[in-house]
Amino acid sequence: MKTHNRTHQRPWHAFTIEKVCQALDCTEQGLNGREAQHRLQRFGPNQLTAMTSRGPIKRFFSQFHNLLIYVLLLAGVITAAIEHWIDSGVIVGVVLINALIGFVQEGKAEKALDAIRNLLTHQAMVRRDDKNVLIPAEELVPGDIVTIESGDKVPADLRLLAVKNLRVDESMLTGESLPVEKNMKAIDSNAALGDRFCMAYSGTFVTYGTATGIVVATGDSTEIGRISSMLRAVTPLTTPLLRQITRFSRWLTVAIITLAATTFAYGWYVQHSSLTDLFMSAVGLAVAAIPEGLPAIMTITLAIGVQRMAKRNAIIRRLPAVETLGSVTVICSDKTGTLTCNEMTVGSVFANGKRYGVEGVGYDPHGCFELENQSITLDDHPQLIELIRAGALCNNAGLEQKNGNWLVHGDPTEGALLTLARKAMLDPDLLKQEMPRIDIIPFESEHRYMASLHHDHSGHAFIFVKGAPERVLAMCTLQRDNGEDQPISVQQWHEAMHTMADSGQRLLAVAFKAENTGMSQLKYEDIETGLTLLGVVGMIDPPRKEAIEAVHECQNAGIRVKMITGDHAVTAAAIAAQINIGGRSVLTGKDIDNMSDAELAGAVRNSDVFARTSPENKLRLVTALQADGQTVAMTGDGVNDAPALKRADVGVAMGKKGTEVAKESSEMVLADDNFVSIAHAVEEGRGIYDNLKKSIIFILPTNGGEALTIVAAISTGKILPITPVQILWVNMITAVTLALTLAFEPPERNIMQRKPREPGEPLLSKFLIWRILFVSLIIVSGTFGLFLWERSLGTSIEEARTVAVNTLVCFEMFYVFNSRYLHNSVLSPEGLFGNRLLWGAVILLGLFQLAFTYWQPMQVLFGTVAIDLHTWKMIISVSASVFILVELEKSIIRLFRPK
């Protein structure tokens, strides 16, 4: 019988090894088989609980639970009732396609939890009955003694008992870009996850060294299990567009039912029309008012947006997210790799009492050296060259140029030192030939330095050392000043290091020692004292130049950019200052933990930089922003980011270094891991929303004009000027030609100078409602007016209806040009000819209408007859009025609109 594993609730990182063994009732010899079996029954297997998901049939039919879908199905039933089977089939087809898209997308969302479960390792080396045995990782229990080594995935949460040069990549949990050195010392119980150096967590990777640890948590009780539980509990928000469509569908449904019922009642009680005629009029009115083509146009518009964004390195996984990007008011961005290059770079060097600046970014070995903001020649600074040479020799990394990019093989900090050497015109390979390495003391966490012994070809021996500044400083008795050895000034170095650390740089001290000619072995006692300090190197993962510009562009667009990182506060503040995000104030994960939800809601309004954050911190930050009425985009790459990515309005995962968990929890994946692509996606998203509005503002006046034409006919007791089947023809043919071209409109030029739209803004604003009514009245006046004119001349009902349908379509042909710009005039070469597809659609629609009017099969199907050239001139003259009147309306609105 499985019981809940509560061992994870204890602060194991704060316990001594003796206390851990006592609490778990185990020894360093391991558990015996019987006790291990008993604990397996008690705590359950070391695996994550699978998410209880709905079956595929239930999940498929749930896609139809949407008011807009009900409206469409009603349209399908009505068109089937009037035996127009083709149109009924088209409408049902649109409904099925939308349902399939939703079904597939929902299935992808559930893969996130499967991806987490796949992160767990399959086997573990464990000590049982005083023997090391390899067992399935699912059989591990609290109290087991486990051995891990380089290349392993940690099989459970471990409190480390013995460590040998252990480094663990915890980026998936903490966001820390570099592997973490581990030790066995207990630390404060409130320490952040990234600072728990005596722990190794399930699912993380051992990059170097070996260790033995005691299992303190398994399965759902591990850190990764806790995140999986959070992910199951997080309910993703509906996108603003879907919320708007739901409100729009309700409004449209009520409006159609009210209009149809009122018209039916008027015809029955006032006009005393026959029940059959009124029923057909009500059917025609409903068909006229329902925009059958709108869902298809919206889906196509979003799909075109997906293609555009893909070309700009933003891969959309869920269709509605295309538009949501356009409404984003806050972007919560990860630091490493998104805002920064994810390449350690030497930014400054302190040597010979001077601080030198180093230009260049990443591992590309191009960049000059500066002193007091002036470029220098290295020949005049031999001590700087001496330090750079030492850093390149005491080094295990390699630097390679591949396909135009410079890549590091080995530790990133050592790669930065090799790049520094190449900037100084020193070839690391040639240096190693000139001074071959004889022996080495590798970096170990307990010593915190690396040392190497070299001989030159004259037989001289030199020891080079690099490591943590405070450790190397304690080993030095001398410092190099102007080419001479002087007694070391500890205070001077501490002041210099403090200044460099305040700028967010990671520091590395470099020292050397000349030795006896015959020395061939390197021992610890050889370097514990008597070293000469050459200088201190400051490194940082620098911000991307293009990211700085993109952040500025987003800020100009009214979007607030916040940086949320697992890195230390000092580093986060330094990078944020360079990118111009927020002030120097930084909130840490510990600060967030101590805040109530109300306090956090106030803090997120005033703070833009958050450091050392946990998965709960990130999720609370996103939730607090949403509670404040913000539409939030959240970037991330690790498992620790998954709950916040799922909760955000738009989750953005990294394509290059992101985990599958992060990708499956997100709506968008960045192919280049670059913040610039987010800014581009926001621009495209705004353009897509504009195009959706343009499609709506184009399609709805057609429906409004048709509906009002039928209302006018019923209220005046006239015969219907357009039959239901002709209405369906107009709706579908204009939707697949003219309306579709608006989906290809490029973003307008000033789109990133606008403020984000309000999250609660309805799909139909007051302006859009006015435009729809205005154009509908123009269309009904021209269409019904020409119908009455033709009837007054004694023409047949078939000819009058043919004139009415063609007038309606010609109105659409002129009005589509107005719709290219919502507010600006289209009376310019760009406005009239900027969309070549539009002219192609107009010509194609013209051919369709000629077939509709003159081709005998179409005449039989739709009840049309041929009309003469004089009638066409009259139709075009009347329908052109919409273009003139709408452009006049735009100019009046621009005149009185606040600047």
Side-chain angles (χ1 to χ4, degrees):
M1 181 71 180
K2 178 180 176 179
T3 61
H4 183 64
N5 183 348
R6 297 186 181 276
T7 59
H8 76 291
Q9 296 177 353
R10 301 185 184 183
W12 296 108
H13 52 279
F15 289 4
T16 62
I17 293 173
E18 293 76 14
K19 190 173 180 180
V20 173
C21 291
Q22 183 181 358
L24 293 172
D25 191 21
C26 63
T27 66
E28 295 188 23
Q29 281 70 47
L31 303 174
N32 60 51
R34 180 180 296 177
E35 176 62 20
Q37 191 62 35
H38 172 72
R39 294 191 184 191
L40 186 62
Q41 292 177 352
R42 177 185 170 193
F43 294 112
N46 178 33
Q47 59 189 21
L48 302 182
T49 302
M51 181 178 181
T52 304
S53 58
R54 294 176 295 172
I57 295 176
K58 188 174 181 180
R59 191 150 51 85
F60 177 73
F61 280 105
S62 70
Q63 307 302 321
F64 295 91
H65 186 55
N66 180 291
L67 193 56
L68 183 61
I69 299 299
Y70 297 152
V71 173
L72 284 173
L73 288 174
L74 177 63
V77 170
I78 292 171
T79 50
I82 61 174
E83 298 184 356
H84 206 284
W85 304 113
I86 294 175
D87 293 293
S88 179
V90 169
I91 295 168
V92 173
V94 168
V95 171
L96 287 174
I97 290 170
N98 284 337
L100 285 170
I101 290 172
F103 175 77
V104 171
Q105 289 169 351
E106 195 171 315
K108 287 181 178 178
E110 292 181 359
K111 289 182 180 178
L113 291 160
D114 293 331
I116 285 187
R117 288 194 292 275
N118 291 335
L119 289 173
L120 302 185
T121 189
H122 300 295
Q123 290 187 314
M125 181 64 71
V126 63
R127 193 153 186 80
R128 294 272 177 88
D129 297 311
D130 207 19
K131 295 179 182 177
N132 287 331
V133 292
L134 195 64
I135 66 169
E138 290 83 1
E139 296 178 12
L140 285 177
V141 296
D144 266 329
I145 306 299
V146 173
T147 299
I148 53 176
E149 59 185 21
S150 180
D152 283 350
K153 194 183 288 185
V154 180
D157 284 3
L158 308 178
R159 170 62 166 90
L160 298 175
L161 303 177
V163 170
K164 180 70 173 175
N165 302 332
L166 185 68
R167 296 185 199 173
V168 180
D169 180 356
E170 296 181 332
S171 58
M172 60 182 284
L173 290 178
T174 65
E176 181 73 58
S177 55
L178 297 177
V180 180
E181 300 165 26
K182 295 293 183 177
N183 57 47
M184 300 170 292
K185 297 176 184 176
I187 57 171
D188 183 70
S189 60
N190 294 322
L193 187 70
D195 295 329
R196 298 174 190 174
F197 303 120
C198 60
M199 299 289 296
Y201 290 104
S202 179
T204 59
F205 290 90
V206 179
T207 61
Y208 193 80
T210 61
T212 302
I214 183 169
V215 175
V216 295
T218 59
D220 289 338
S221 297
T222 60
E223 281 296 321
I224 198 171
R226 193 169 55 81
I227 294 172
S228 178
S229 300
M230 287 171 59
L231 194 56
R232 285 198 300 272
V234 172
T235 303
L237 297 182
T238 306
T239 69
L241 179 63
L242 294 180
R243 292 196 293 270
Q244 290 172 328
I245 288 174
T246 300
R247 288 196 295 267
F248 169 68
S249 302
R250 290 173 186 157
W251 176 87
L252 185 62
T253 304
V254 171
I256 291 171
I257 292 172
T258 302
L259 186 62
T262 303
T263 306
F264 187 93
Y266 180 85
W268 177 258
Y269 290 109
V270 178
Q271 294 291 341
H272 305 294
S273 302
S274 71
L275 194 62
T276 304
D277 289 344
L278 283 175
F279 175 74
M280 289 308 297
S281 298
V283 168
L285 183 58
V287 171
I290 295 173
E292 296 93 343
L294 186 57
I297 292 299
M298 294 179 84
T299 302
I300 291 167
T301 303
L302 294 174
I304 292 167
V306 168
Q307 292 179 329
R308 282 185 182 173
M309 289 182 181
K311 292 177 181 177
R312 304 184 82 172
N313 295 312
I315 312 302
I316 299 296
R317 297 184 63 254
R318 295 179 187 129
L319 209 56
V322 174
E323 177 278 330
T324 309
L325 280 159
S327 63
V328 162
T329 59
V330 175
I331 299 175
C332 296
S333 178
D334 189 22
K335 176 184 73 69
T336 306
T338 309
L339 293 170
T340 64
C341 301
N342 197 23
E343 295 178 343
M344 293 304 294
T345 304
V346 176
S348 63
V349 179
F350 188 84
N352 199 27
K354 304 179 183 71
R355 185 176 177 182
Y356 298 89
V358 185
E359 291 294 308
V361 172
Y363 301 125
D364 185 350
H366 294 90
C368 63
F369 293 79
E370 295 181 344
L371 183 60
E372 298 178 353
N373 296 321
Q374 298 292 323
S375 295
I376 61 171
T377 302
L378 284 184
D379 292 340
D380 299 329
H381 301 268
Q383 192 166 318
L384 179 58
I385 295 178
E386 193 175 5
L387 180 149
I388 295 170
R389 183 186 293 112
L393 288 168
C394 186
N395 202 306
N396 287 327
L399 196 63
E400 175 192 13
Q401 188 175 24
K402 194 172 184 180
N403 298 326
N405 297 317
W406 287 88
L407 306 175
V408 166
H409 302 292
D411 187 85
T413 57
E414 292 191 326
L417 292 175
L418 295 182
T419 302
L420 181 68
R422 288 189 175 273
K423 287 179 181 177
M425 301 302 173
L426 299 176
D427 185 342
D429 296 329
L430 189 58
L431 289 176
K432 290 173 183 176
Q433 292 175 21
E434 293 172 350
M435 299 188 70
R437 180 189 293 176
I438 305 302
D439 199 9
I440 183 175
I441 295 177
F443 182 92
E444 293 182 356
S445 55
E446 51 264 51
H447 296 113
R448 300 170 65 202
Y449 64 77
M450 170 187 173
S452 58
L453 173 64
H454 299 257
H455 284 185
D456 63 17
H457 294 294
S458 301
H460 302 112
F462 298 93
I463 299 172
F464 297 110
V465 179
K466 73 174 193 303
E470 61 274 17
R471 182 69 181 94
V472 174
L473 199 61
M475 298 156 63
C476 293
T477 54
L478 301 170
Q479 65 184 42
R480 184 61 67 91
D481 277 338
N482 297 317
E484 296 181 0
D485 292 345
Q486 303 287 344
I488 192 163
S489 173
V490 176
Q491 183 178 353
Q492 176 196 18
W493 289 101
H494 276 303
E495 289 174 355
M497 290 188 293
H498 181 74
T499 302
M500 295 169 76
D502 276 350
S503 63
Q505 295 184 343
R506 298 173 184 265
L507 304 185
L508 197 69
V510 180
F512 90 106
K513 186 178 185 182
E515 273 294 351
N516 297 325
T517 305
M519 187 175 186
S520 59
Q521 255 188 333
L522 198 55
K523 301 175 183 177
Y524 289 110
E525 52 266 29
D526 295 329
I527 52 176
E528 283 300 315
T529 186
L531 298 181
T532 299
L533 186 61
L534 292 174
V536 176
V537 176
M539 302 181 188
I540 199 167
D541 180 11
R544 297 176 184 260
K545 183 180 179 182
E546 64 272 24
I548 298 173
E549 297 169 357
V551 167
H552 181 66
E553 183 181 15
C554 287
Q555 291 167 339
N556 283 343
I559 301 169
R560 196 162 177 181
V561 180
K562 296 179 183 289
M563 190 171 81
I564 303 178
T565 177
D567 222 327
H568 290 280
V570 172
T571 306
I575 294 295
Q578 293 179 50
I579 303 175
N580 198 28
I581 295 178
R584 295 291 295 184
S585 65
V586 179
L587 275 183
T588 65
K590 192 176 290 186
D591 297 329
I592 296 170
D593 289 335
N594 294 330
M595 290 181 180
S596 66
D597 288 343
E599 290 171 331
L600 183 59
V604 294
R605 292 193 197 106
N606 303 317
S607 299
D608 290 333
V609 184
F610 304 89
R612 225 63 180 145
T613 50
S614 67
E616 291 95 339
N617 297 151
K618 295 180 179 182
L619 182 57
R620 284 190 68 202
L621 285 169
V622 170
T623 306
L625 287 165
Q626 290 170 333
D628 194 37
Q630 307 296 331
T631 302
V632 183
M634 171 80 190
T635 75
D637 55 10
V639 177
N640 60 324
D641 299 314
L645 288 172
K646 186 178 178 184
R647 172 70 188 189
D649 297 280
V650 183
V652 183
M654 302 299 110
K656 287 184 176 179
K657 62 186 180 75
T659 60
E660 286 304 311
V661 183
K663 293 174 187 176
E664 293 293 347
S665 300
S666 65
E667 283 75 30
M668 185 172 89
V669 178
L670 297 184
D672 58 354
D673 292 9
N674 195 333
F675 186 87
V676 174
S677 296
I678 303 176
H680 290 161
V682 168
E683 181 183 358
E684 291 289 352
R686 290 186 174 189
I688 294 303
Y689 186 71
D690 275 2
N691 290 351
L692 287 173
K693 288 198 294 186
K694 291 171 185 177
S695 297
I696 291 170
I697 211 173
F698 171 74
I699 290 174
L700 290 189
T702 307
N703 299 101
E706 293 165 348
L708 290 177
T709 300
I710 293 173
V711 170
I714 294 172
S715 61
T716 57
K718 304 293 183 183
I719 298 173
L720 289 181
I722 308 177
T723 65
V725 72
Q726 290 171 341
I727 288 169
L728 279 170
W729 163 263
V730 174
N731 286 356
M732 296 308 293
I733 200 66
T734 56
V736 299
T737 54
L738 301 181
L740 188 58
T741 64
L742 295 174
F744 292 89
E745 286 289 323
E748 294 184 18
R749 290 178 183 175
N750 65 338
I751 203 162
M752 288 301 278
Q753 275 75 56
R754 302 182 202 162
K755 298 298 180 186
R757 72 175 189 274
E758 292 295 327
E761 178 187 302
L763 192 61
L764 289 181
S765 63
K766 292 178 181 178
F767 163 72
L768 292 186
I769 292 172
W770 154 252
R771 175 68 62 79
I772 290 167
L773 289 174
F774 178 61
V775 176
S776 295
L777 289 172
I778 296 172
I779 290 175
V780 71
S781 300
T783 303
F784 194 50
L786 276 184
F787 173 78
L788 294 177
W789 174 259
E790 288 295 313
R791 292 293 288 161
S792 69
L793 295 177
T795 56
S796 67
I797 184 65
E798 289 81 11
E799 185 174 346
R801 282 175 171 167
T802 304
V803 170
V805 172
N806 280 302
T807 303
L808 185 60
V809 171
C810 285
F811 267 125
E812 294 290 300
M813 287 180 173
F814 282 104
Y815 178 55
V816 73
F817 287 94
N818 299 118
S819 302
R820 287 200 64 210
Y821 301 148
L822 294 174
H823 299 284
N824 295 329
S825 172
V826 295
L827 295 173
S828 65
E830 175 63 26
L832 293 174
F833 304 103
N835 187 340
R836 294 179 182 177
L837 286 174
L838 194 151
W839 280 99
V842 166
I843 294 169
L844 181 63
L845 183 55
L847 294 174
F848 277 129
Q849 283 307 117
L850 290 175
F852 174 85
T853 306
Y854 296 106
W855 190 32
Q856 189 176 8
M858 298 285 273
Q859 290 177 335
V860 172
L861 188 62
F862 291 103
T864 58
V865 295
I867 56 178
D868 58 27
L869 183 61
H870 172 73
T871 306
W872 275 114
K873 289 178 181 179
M874 184 171 57
I875 289 171
I876 293 171
S877 298
V878 170
S879 56
S881 64
V882 71
F883 180 84
I884 298 167
L885 291 172
V886 171
E887 286 304 303
L888 183 61
E889 175 244 15
K890 284 184 187 180
S891 64
I892 294 171
I893 289 176
R894 286 198 305 272
L895 188 64
F896 291 98
R897 190 172 59 183
K899 300 298 182 184

